Amino acid sequence: MTTVSARPRAARVATWMFFALNGFGMGMWVVHIPNVERATGISHSTLGALLLVLGGAAFAGMQVSGPLVDRFGHRRLVPAAGVFVGLAVCAPGFANSWWTLGLSLILFGFGNGAIDVGMNSHAVVVERAYPRPIMASFHAMWSIGGALAAVIGAATLGAGVPTGVTLTGTGLVCVLLSLGAARFVMEPADAPAEASESAPAPSAGRRTPGRLIWLLGGLALALMLSEGVANDWAALHLEKDLGTSASTAAFAYGAFAVAMTTGRFLTDRVAAWAGPAAIVRYGAAMAAVGLSIAAASPWVPLSLVGWAIFGLGLSGGVPQLFTAAGNLDTRNSGALMARVVGLGYVGLLAGPALIGGLTRWMPLNVTFAVPVVLCVLAAVFAGVLTPKPEPAEQPVVVSEKQG
């Protein structure tokens, strides 16, 4: 049994902190969106446009931070991005017009994109120092941070705490956590040699397979688009299609989110036994079955079971894709990660909008056929995560000249 040294263990805790603070910061912004909308006096349509601006800024932050992390290292970029997010999350709480909110969301989105790529790239570095997969647990901490934000945000809203004060406190927590975790961030050269030997072998020094990185990105887009559909439409499905109350409908997203978080804490152990390709293949297939049940069931309890199966199936796939992208080429890990994370983020944003557009022509539960098909395709193409054996070198036969 391989013992992990103190440095990787400390880096693992630091990475947990970055994922949790990112989820916490984003979650606190989300629960305060209605307050910010009222304070700025903007319409729903204007808010929707500004949320697209936030998404575009996040995508830009991902593409900028990828090459920067390769050039300047994780120890500089990841804590800096965490501090940037902490400062930026304060700004929407003091916005008083559409343009001040728009500027605030550009900064906040850019920072979120930067830390998203940076912390995932760093997570791959930390995982290389371990003899087993640990990536999914980092993503579980993001979910924990978001859940904590929902609880604290509900409490502060109920107590009437001004939005600016709450988001400033959120930003302060993010800044302090980022500065505290900075000294424990690892670089690829810091990984112990004995652990690196048992970690997934990256293809450093080889030509990066461009086709493979786009396949990984396509899989990330498919799975994260499906996740986005659950985030925005699960509760509405129960309320509109099954006629439940709003409070009962909330259990649909709750079942999905709890199952996904639980699955992420369990995925690493399963991945160590079955491998990443199996996690994506059988997880995506499970997700397709779960969403089909949720969409077709006329009974609320069975539909809730379907949403839970959907969340459990999706829980482990994306972490495997990010790990594979980060290990393709250690010299360009950040840039490669930015492509896959960026495409996944496009799916997360596009999924809800796509479903909303399709509901003009068909019932909501029928539109769920789109993510079901995408999950099936992800299961079919999961084999790209299976490393191909290196071609054996042909023996050189030297014939001696007979004299």
Side-chain angles (χ1 to χ4, degrees), residues 188-212:
D190 298 331
E194 64 275 10
S196 299
E197 290 174 1
S198 57
S203 56
R206 301 175 191 162
R207 183 175 178 270
T208 302
R211 179 171 173 269
L212 180 55

PDB file of all heavy atoms in Angstrom, residues 188-212:
ATOM      1  N   PRO A 188       3.648  20.531 -10.945  1.00  0.00           N
ATOM      2  CA  PRO A 188       3.913  19.157 -11.394  1.00  0.00           C
ATOM      3  C   PRO A 188       5.236  18.592 -10.901  1.00  0.00           C
ATOM      4  O   PRO A 188       5.333  17.405 -10.596  1.00  0.00           O
ATOM      5  CB  PRO A 188       3.909  19.295 -12.925  1.00  0.00           C
ATOM      6  CG  PRO A 188       3.016  20.453 -13.192  1.00  0.00           C
ATOM      7  CD  PRO A 188       3.226  21.405 -12.060  1.00  0.00           C
ATOM      8  N   ALA A 189       6.268  19.436 -10.770  1.00  0.00           N
ATOM      9  CA  ALA A 189       7.581  18.952 -10.328  1.00  0.00           C
ATOM     10  C   ALA A 189       7.590  18.566  -8.861  1.00  0.00           C
ATOM     11  O   ALA A 189       8.517  17.884  -8.400  1.00  0.00           O
ATOM     12  CB  ALA A 189       8.640  20.029 -10.577  1.00  0.00           C
ATOM     13  N   ASP A 190       6.552  18.986  -8.094  1.00  0.00           N
ATOM     14  CA  ASP A 190       6.515  18.696  -6.656  1.00  0.00           C
ATOM     15  C   ASP A 190       5.997  17.303  -6.347  1.00  0.00           C
ATOM     16  O   ASP A 190       6.077  16.852  -5.207  1.00  0.00           O
ATOM     17  CB  ASP A 190       5.617  19.709  -5.929  1.00  0.00           C
ATOM     18  CG  ASP A 190       6.143  21.127  -6.053  1.00  0.00           C
ATOM     19  OD1 ASP A 190       7.375  21.280  -6.183  1.00  0.00           O
ATOM     20  OD2 ASP A 190       5.332  22.068  -6.012  1.00  0.00           O
ATOM     21  N   ALA A 191       5.418  16.613  -7.343  1.00  0.00           N
ATOM     22  CA  ALA A 191       4.840  15.294  -7.102  1.00  0.00           C
ATOM     23  C   ALA A 191       5.935  14.289  -6.774  1.00  0.00           C
ATOM     24  O   ALA A 191       6.941  14.214  -7.492  1.00  0.00           O
ATOM     25  CB  ALA A 191       4.052  14.819  -8.315  1.00  0.00           C
ATOM     26  N   PRO A 192       5.782  13.487  -5.696  1.00  0.00           N
ATOM     27  CA  PRO A 192       6.782  12.471  -5.369  1.00  0.00           C
ATOM     28  C   PRO A 192       6.935  11.463  -6.503  1.00  0.00           C
ATOM     29  O   PRO A 192       5.950  11.080  -7.133  1.00  0.00           O
ATOM     30  CB  PRO A 192       6.206  11.799  -4.113  1.00  0.00           C
ATOM     31  CG  PRO A 192       5.217  12.773  -3.563  1.00  0.00           C
ATOM     32  CD  PRO A 192       4.671  13.517  -4.739  1.00  0.00           C
ATOM     33  N   ALA A 193       8.155  11.090  -6.764  1.00  0.00           N
ATOM     34  CA  ALA A 193       8.431  10.196  -7.890  1.00  0.00           C
ATOM     35  C   ALA A 193       7.722   8.861  -7.750  1.00  0.00           C
ATOM     36  O   ALA A 193       7.182   8.323  -8.705  1.00  0.00           O
ATOM     37  CB  ALA A 193       9.937   9.973  -8.014  1.00  0.00           C
ATOM     38  N   GLU A 194       7.686   8.316  -6.502  1.00  0.00           N
ATOM     39  CA  GLU A 194       7.087   6.996  -6.346  1.00  0.00           C
ATOM     40  C   GLU A 194       5.589   7.024  -6.577  1.00  0.00           C
ATOM     41  O   GLU A 194       5.002   6.079  -7.078  1.00  0.00           O
ATOM     42  CB  GLU A 194       7.378   6.428  -4.947  1.00  0.00           C
ATOM     43  CG  GLU A 194       6.757   7.218  -3.783  1.00  0.00           C
ATOM     44  CD  GLU A 194       7.633   8.378  -3.350  1.00  0.00           C
ATOM     45  OE1 GLU A 194       8.613   8.682  -4.067  1.00  0.00           O
ATOM     46  OE2 GLU A 194       7.359   8.977  -2.285  1.00  0.00           O
ATOM     47  N   ALA A 195       4.940   8.151  -6.233  1.00  0.00           N
ATOM     48  CA  ALA A 195       3.504   8.251  -6.483  1.00  0.00           C
ATOM     49  C   ALA A 195       3.223   8.472  -7.954  1.00  0.00           C
ATOM     50  O   ALA A 195       2.275   7.949  -8.507  1.00  0.00           O
ATOM     51  CB  ALA A 195       2.905   9.386  -5.661  1.00  0.00           C
ATOM     52  N   SER A 196       4.077   9.252  -8.587  1.00  0.00           N
ATOM     53  CA  SER A 196       3.865   9.546  -9.999  1.00  0.00           C
ATOM     54  C   SER A 196       3.930   8.297 -10.853  1.00  0.00           C
ATOM     55  O   SER A 196       3.292   8.195 -11.880  1.00  0.00           O
ATOM     56  CB  SER A 196       4.913  10.564 -10.485  1.00  0.00           C
ATOM     57  OG  SER A 196       4.808  11.765  -9.769  1.00  0.00           O
ATOM     58  N   GLU A 197       4.726   7.325 -10.413  1.00  0.00           N
ATOM     59  CA  GLU A 197       4.852   6.102 -11.192  1.00  0.00           C
ATOM     60  C   GLU A 197       3.550   5.324 -11.234  1.00  0.00           C
ATOM     61  O   GLU A 197       3.251   4.637 -12.199  1.00  0.00           O
ATOM     62  CB  GLU A 197       5.961   5.226 -10.604  1.00  0.00           C
ATOM     63  CG  GLU A 197       7.361   5.815 -10.824  1.00  0.00           C
ATOM     64  CD  GLU A 197       8.414   5.006 -10.104  1.00  0.00           C
ATOM     65  OE1 GLU A 197       8.048   3.997  -9.468  1.00  0.00           O
ATOM     66  OE2 GLU A 197       9.597   5.378 -10.162  1.00  0.00           O
ATOM     67  N   SER A 198       2.753   5.430 -10.154  1.00  0.00           N
ATOM     68  CA  SER A 198       1.503   4.682 -10.108  1.00  0.00           C
ATOM     69  C   SER A 198       0.314   5.472 -10.586  1.00  0.00           C
ATOM     70  O   SER A 198      -0.777   4.954 -10.711  1.00  0.00           O
ATOM     71  CB  SER A 198       1.229   4.208  -8.681  1.00  0.00           C
ATOM     72  OG  SER A 198       1.193   5.321  -7.806  1.00  0.00           O
ATOM     73  N   ALA A 199       0.509   6.766 -10.858  1.00  0.00           N
ATOM     74  CA  ALA A 199      -0.573   7.614 -11.361  1.00  0.00           C
ATOM     75  C   ALA A 199      -0.748   7.391 -12.849  1.00  0.00           C
ATOM     76  O   ALA A 199       0.102   6.812 -13.505  1.00  0.00           O
ATOM     77  CB  ALA A 199      -0.256   9.087 -11.074  1.00  0.00           C
ATOM     78  N   PRO A 200      -1.884   7.840 -13.407  1.00  0.00           N
ATOM     79  CA  PRO A 200      -2.077   7.711 -14.857  1.00  0.00           C
ATOM     80  C   PRO A 200      -0.951   8.394 -15.614  1.00  0.00           C
ATOM     81  O   PRO A 200      -0.581   9.512 -15.324  1.00  0.00           O
ATOM     82  CB  PRO A 200      -3.422   8.433 -15.087  1.00  0.00           C
ATOM     83  CG  PRO A 200      -4.105   8.395 -13.767  1.00  0.00           C
ATOM     84  CD  PRO A 200      -3.020   8.457 -12.740  1.00  0.00           C
ATOM     85  N   ALA A 201      -0.393   7.714 -16.566  1.00  0.00           N
ATOM     86  CA  ALA A 201       0.780   8.241 -17.263  1.00  0.00           C
ATOM     87  C   ALA A 201       0.397   9.299 -18.263  1.00  0.00           C
ATOM     88  O   ALA A 201      -0.325   9.025 -19.219  1.00  0.00           O
ATOM     89  CB  ALA A 201       1.504   7.096 -17.976  1.00  0.00           C
ATOM     90  N   PRO A 202       0.835  10.548 -18.075  1.00  0.00           N
ATOM     91  CA  PRO A 202       0.558  11.583 -19.065  1.00  0.00           C
ATOM     92  C   PRO A 202       1.452  11.422 -20.272  1.00  0.00           C
ATOM     93  O   PRO A 202       2.500  10.801 -20.215  1.00  0.00           O
ATOM     94  CB  PRO A 202       0.871  12.884 -18.310  1.00  0.00           C
ATOM     95  CG  PRO A 202       1.901  12.477 -17.304  1.00  0.00           C
ATOM     96  CD  PRO A 202       1.607  11.067 -16.934  1.00  0.00           C
ATOM     97  N   SER A 203       1.034  12.025 -21.355  1.00  0.00           N
ATOM     98  CA  SER A 203       1.794  11.890 -22.587  1.00  0.00           C
ATOM     99  C   SER A 203       2.732  13.063 -22.781  1.00  0.00           C
ATOM    100  O   SER A 203       2.749  13.689 -23.819  1.00  0.00           O
ATOM    101  CB  SER A 203       0.829  11.790 -23.779  1.00  0.00           C
ATOM    102  OG  SER A 203      -0.022  12.903 -23.803  1.00  0.00           O
ATOM    103  N   ALA A 204       3.491  13.404 -21.757  1.00  0.00           N
ATOM    104  CA  ALA A 204       4.425  14.520 -21.864  1.00  0.00           C
ATOM    105  C   ALA A 204       5.486  14.199 -22.890  1.00  0.00           C
ATOM    106  O   ALA A 204       6.003  13.102 -22.970  1.00  0.00           O
ATOM    107  CB  ALA A 204       5.062  14.787 -20.505  1.00  0.00           C
ATOM    108  N   GLY A 205       5.820  15.220 -23.656  1.00  0.00           N
ATOM    109  CA  GLY A 205       6.860  15.040 -24.649  1.00  0.00           C
ATOM    110  C   GLY A 205       6.362  14.493 -25.962  1.00  0.00           C
ATOM    111  O   GLY A 205       7.090  14.432 -26.922  1.00  0.00           O
ATOM    112  N   ARG A 206       5.081  14.101 -26.027  1.00  0.00           N
ATOM    113  CA  ARG A 206       4.549  13.601 -27.284  1.00  0.00           C
ATOM    114  C   ARG A 206       3.659  14.654 -27.920  1.00  0.00           C
ATOM    115  O   ARG A 206       3.184  15.575 -27.274  1.00  0.00           O
ATOM    116  CB  ARG A 206       3.708  12.338 -27.035  1.00  0.00           C
ATOM    117  CG  ARG A 206       4.495  11.216 -26.383  1.00  0.00           C
ATOM    118  CD  ARG A 206       3.556  10.066 -26.072  1.00  0.00           C
ATOM    119  NE  ARG A 206       4.229   9.093 -25.225  1.00  0.00           N
ATOM    120  CZ  ARG A 206       3.581   8.182 -24.524  1.00  0.00           C
ATOM    121  NH1 ARG A 206       2.286   8.120 -24.539  1.00  0.00           N
ATOM    122  NH2 ARG A 206       4.260   7.329 -23.779  1.00  0.00           N
ATOM    123  N   ARG A 207       3.387  14.486 -29.155  1.00  0.00           N
ATOM    124  CA  ARG A 207       2.493  15.404 -29.850  1.00  0.00           C
ATOM    125  C   ARG A 207       1.082  15.223 -29.313  1.00  0.00           C
ATOM    126  O   ARG A 207       0.564  14.117 -29.247  1.00  0.00           O
ATOM    127  CB  ARG A 207       2.535  15.102 -31.351  1.00  0.00           C
ATOM    128  CG  ARG A 207       1.704  16.049 -32.184  1.00  0.00           C
ATOM    129  CD  ARG A 207       1.904  15.736 -33.645  1.00  0.00           C
ATOM    130  NE  ARG A 207       1.098  16.597 -34.481  1.00  0.00           N
ATOM    131  CZ  ARG A 207      -0.145  16.306 -34.861  1.00  0.00           C
ATOM    132  NH1 ARG A 207      -0.708  15.183 -34.452  1.00  0.00           N
ATOM    133  NH2 ARG A 207      -0.813  17.136 -35.633  1.00  0.00           N
ATOM    134  N   THR A 208       0.454  16.322 -28.899  1.00  0.00           N
ATOM    135  CA  THR A 208      -0.885  16.248 -28.327  1.00  0.00           C
ATOM    136  C   THR A 208      -1.897  15.807 -29.371  1.00  0.00           C
ATOM    137  O   THR A 208      -1.995  16.419 -30.431  1.00  0.00           O
ATOM    138  CB  THR A 208      -1.302  17.618 -27.773  1.00  0.00           C
ATOM    139  OG1 THR A 208      -0.353  18.014 -26.798  1.00  0.00           O
ATOM    140  CG2 THR A 208      -2.671  17.545 -27.143  1.00  0.00           C
ATOM    141  N   PRO A 209      -2.664  14.750 -29.107  1.00  0.00           N
ATOM    142  CA  PRO A 209      -3.660  14.298 -30.078  1.00  0.00           C
ATOM    143  C   PRO A 209      -4.845  15.256 -30.105  1.00  0.00           C
ATOM    144  O   PRO A 209      -5.731  15.217 -29.248  1.00  0.00           O
ATOM    145  CB  PRO A 209      -4.050  12.914 -29.548  1.00  0.00           C
ATOM    146  CG  PRO A 209      -3.723  12.951 -28.088  1.00  0.00           C
ATOM    147  CD  PRO A 209      -2.596  13.910 -27.918  1.00  0.00           C
ATOM    148  N   GLY A 210      -4.881  16.142 -31.109  1.00  0.00           N
ATOM    149  CA  GLY A 210      -5.921  17.151 -31.180  1.00  0.00           C
ATOM    150  C   GLY A 210      -7.315  16.573 -31.275  1.00  0.00           C
ATOM    151  O   GLY A 210      -8.262  17.077 -30.686  1.00  0.00           O
ATOM    152  N   ARG A 211      -7.457  15.481 -32.035  1.00  0.00           N
ATOM    153  CA  ARG A 211      -8.778  14.861 -32.190  1.00  0.00           C
ATOM    154  C   ARG A 211      -9.294  14.368 -30.853  1.00  0.00           C
ATOM    155  O   ARG A 211     -10.489  14.490 -30.546  1.00  0.00           O
ATOM    156  CB  ARG A 211      -8.675  13.705 -33.181  1.00  0.00           C
ATOM    157  CG  ARG A 211      -9.988  12.962 -33.406  1.00  0.00           C
ATOM    158  CD  ARG A 211      -9.846  11.967 -34.558  1.00  0.00           C
ATOM    159  NE  ARG A 211     -11.014  11.119 -34.696  1.00  0.00           N
ATOM    160  CZ  ARG A 211     -11.163   9.943 -34.095  1.00  0.00           C
ATOM    161  NH1 ARG A 211     -10.195   9.483 -33.309  1.00  0.00           N
ATOM    162  NH2 ARG A 211     -12.254   9.222 -34.278  1.00  0.00           N
ATOM    163  N   LEU A 212      -8.415  13.831 -30.015  1.00  0.00           N
ATOM    164  CA  LEU A 212      -8.838  13.292 -28.735  1.00  0.00           C
ATOM    165  C   LEU A 212      -9.332  14.393 -27.796  1.00  0.00           C
ATOM    166  O   LEU A 212     -10.337  14.225 -27.100  1.00  0.00           O
ATOM    167  CB  LEU A 212      -7.678  12.525 -28.082  1.00  0.00           C
ATOM    168  CG  LEU A 212      -7.968  11.894 -26.715  1.00  0.00           C
ATOM    169  CD1 LEU A 212      -9.190  10.980 -26.793  1.00  0.00           C
ATOM    170  CD2 LEU A 212      -6.753  11.119 -26.219  1.00  0.00           C
TER     171      LEU A 212
END
